[in-house]
Amino acid sequence: MNQIRASKRLPLRLTLAAAVAATALLTAGSPARAMVGEQYEPGTSPVTTTSYSVMSPEALAAAVKADRDYVTGMRAHHAGALSMSQEYLADANASNPALKELAQAIVHKQQFEIGLLDEVARNLDRPARVVNLGFARFAIQSGATEGLGQRDRFMKYPVPGPLAAVFSGNAPVTECDVQFAKAMTTHHQGALDMARAYQADRNGRNTFLGLLNVDIVTDQTQEIALMRRVIAAYPGNADAVQVPASMVHGMEGMSHAGHGSPATQVSTANAHAGHGAAPAGQAAAAAGHGIAPVPQAQGGHAHHGH
C-alpha cells in the first residue's frame, strides 16, 4: 500500500521539481528591465501577480534579512527625498525651473516606490513554504507583488533631461538652488550605493528588488547629472555655498555602508569644497561604482561621472 501511495505521489514530485527548475531558469535568464516603469493602459484590467524567491531552506533567514534591511533603509531614504523636495518647492528662494520640475518628479515617483517597498515588506511577512522532494528541499518565499503600476494607474513623471539646466530660461541659479542640488546629490549617491550594495550581496535574492534597483540607478544617475549642470550655472562661487547637515534627510541608516552620519557627510563635503577635491572615502566609494563624488563645481566647470 505504501508503495502504491508513493508511486502516485511521484508525478506530483516531478511536477514540483520541474516548476522549481523552470522558476530558477526564468529568473536567471530574464533580461534586466525596470519594474517601476510600468505604464497605465486605459481600458485594460490590472493583473497583479506574486513574485517568489526560491532558495535552500538554510539560506532563507539570511535572504529575508537582506531584503528587510534593504526595504527598511531604502524606504526611509525615499521618505527623506520626499521631505527634501517638498521643502525646496515651498522655499520662496527656490528659483531654477529645472530643479523645481525635478523636485516634483521625485515626489511623484518616490511616493510610488515607497508603496512598492511597503508591498515587499508585506510579502516578506508571509511565511515561506518548504517543498520537500525527497532528493532535494526548497524554500519558496513570497517576495513582492508585480503589476502595481497598472493597478494604481501609475505613470512616471518625466524627469528633466541633462540639458534642462541649459534651457531653463533667464531664471538665475540662486544659493538656495545650489544648496538643494548639492544636498540631493549627496542623498542620491546614498541611494545608488545602497542599491548596488544589495546587488552585490549574495543574500540579496529578491529579483523584484533587483529590477527596482535598475530604475533607481538609471533615474538617479540622470538626476545627478542635471543637478551638476545647475550647480555649474551658478554665477558665484559654488564651492563657497555651504549645505547645512539638516538639509539631508533619511540617511541615518546609511552609516553601515561606510558613509557616516548625514552631518559627517555634509560637513566633510563642505570642508573640501574650496579645494575642488572630494573626501578620500567618498572618492574611493565612487570609484568602486563608477560614479563621481559630490559635485565640486567652480565657475563654469563641472565634472560629470556619466
Side-chain angles (χ1 to χ4, degrees):
M1 182 63 70
N2 290 335
Q3 290 178 344
I4 294 174
R5 289 174 179 171
S7 65
K8 289 181 177 179
R9 286 198 297 267
L10 183 59
L12 175 59
R13 288 181 175 181
L14 292 175
T15 300
L16 288 172
V20 170
T23 300
L25 288 173
L26 288 172
T27 300
S30 297
R33 59 185 178 84
M35 292 294 292
V36 181
E38 299 173 5
Q39 298 296 320
Y40 168 62
E41 299 180 14
T44 61
S45 300
V47 177
T48 58
T49 58
T50 303
S51 66
Y52 295 89
S53 300
V54 180
M55 68 206 76
S56 69
E58 293 75 21
L60 178 63
V64 171
K65 182 182 185 303
D67 291 354
R68 289 189 189 280
D69 288 348
Y70 172 91
V71 169
T72 299
M74 191 62 80
R75 192 194 189 287
H77 197 264
H78 273 22
L82 293 183
S83 58
M84 289 170 67
S85 298
Q86 290 163 344
E87 286 181 4
Y88 173 73
L89 291 170
D91 194 325
N93 295 314
S95 172
N96 187 265
L99 285 185
K100 288 184 176 181
E101 188 176 355
L102 172 61
Q104 291 170 348
I106 289 173
V107 171
H108 174 76
K109 183 174 50 183
Q110 296 201 19
Q111 279 179 332
F112 177 66
E113 290 183 2
I114 286 174
L116 294 181
L117 293 169
D118 286 343
E119 183 64 19
V120 171
R122 284 189 286 269
N123 276 276
L124 293 175
D125 286 339
R126 299 170 185 165
R129 175 170 295 181
V130 176
V131 178
N132 189 349
L133 302 178
F135 57 88
R137 294 171 68 244
F138 299 93
I140 303 177
Q141 173 65 54
S142 172
T145 302
E146 301 181 36
L148 297 183
Q150 176 74 7
R151 189 198 70 180
D152 297 345
R153 302 183 180 184
F154 172 77
M155 294 187 68
K156 293 184 72 172
Y157 193 102
V159 176
L163 294 180
V166 179
F167 300 104
S168 57
N170 296 322
V173 177
T174 65
E175 182 175 321
C176 172
D177 298 331
V178 174
Q179 284 183 324
F180 173 75
K182 281 187 173 185
M184 190 59 78
T185 297
T186 298
H187 194 270
H188 274 16
Q189 184 63 58
L192 294 177
D193 291 344
M194 193 185 305
R196 285 170 171 149
Y198 180 84
Q199 302 295 80
D201 186 349
R202 62 185 180 86
N203 295 317
R205 299 166 179 263
N206 192 312
T207 55
F208 185 93
L209 293 181
L211 292 173
L212 174 61
N213 281 333
V214 173
D215 272 343
I216 291 174
V217 172
T218 301
D219 292 345
Q220 299 198 20
T221 296
Q222 176 184 345
E223 293 167 13
I224 286 174
L226 169 67
M227 291 185 287
R228 285 176 173 159
R229 285 175 170 83
V230 172
I231 293 171
Y234 181 60
N237 180 8
D239 286 343
V241 177
Q242 299 292 292
V243 180
S246 60
M247 286 188 66
V248 184
H249 305 170
M251 295 185 71
E252 291 76 11
M254 290 295 293
S255 58
H256 69 277
H259 298 280
S261 68
T264 301
Q265 295 171 57
V266 178
S267 63
T268 305
N270 284 331
H272 286 74
H275 304 289
Q282 259 188 348
H289 297 301
I291 297 174
V294 177
Q296 305 297 337
Q298 187 168 4
H301 303 284
H303 302 285
H304 308 296
H306 300 275

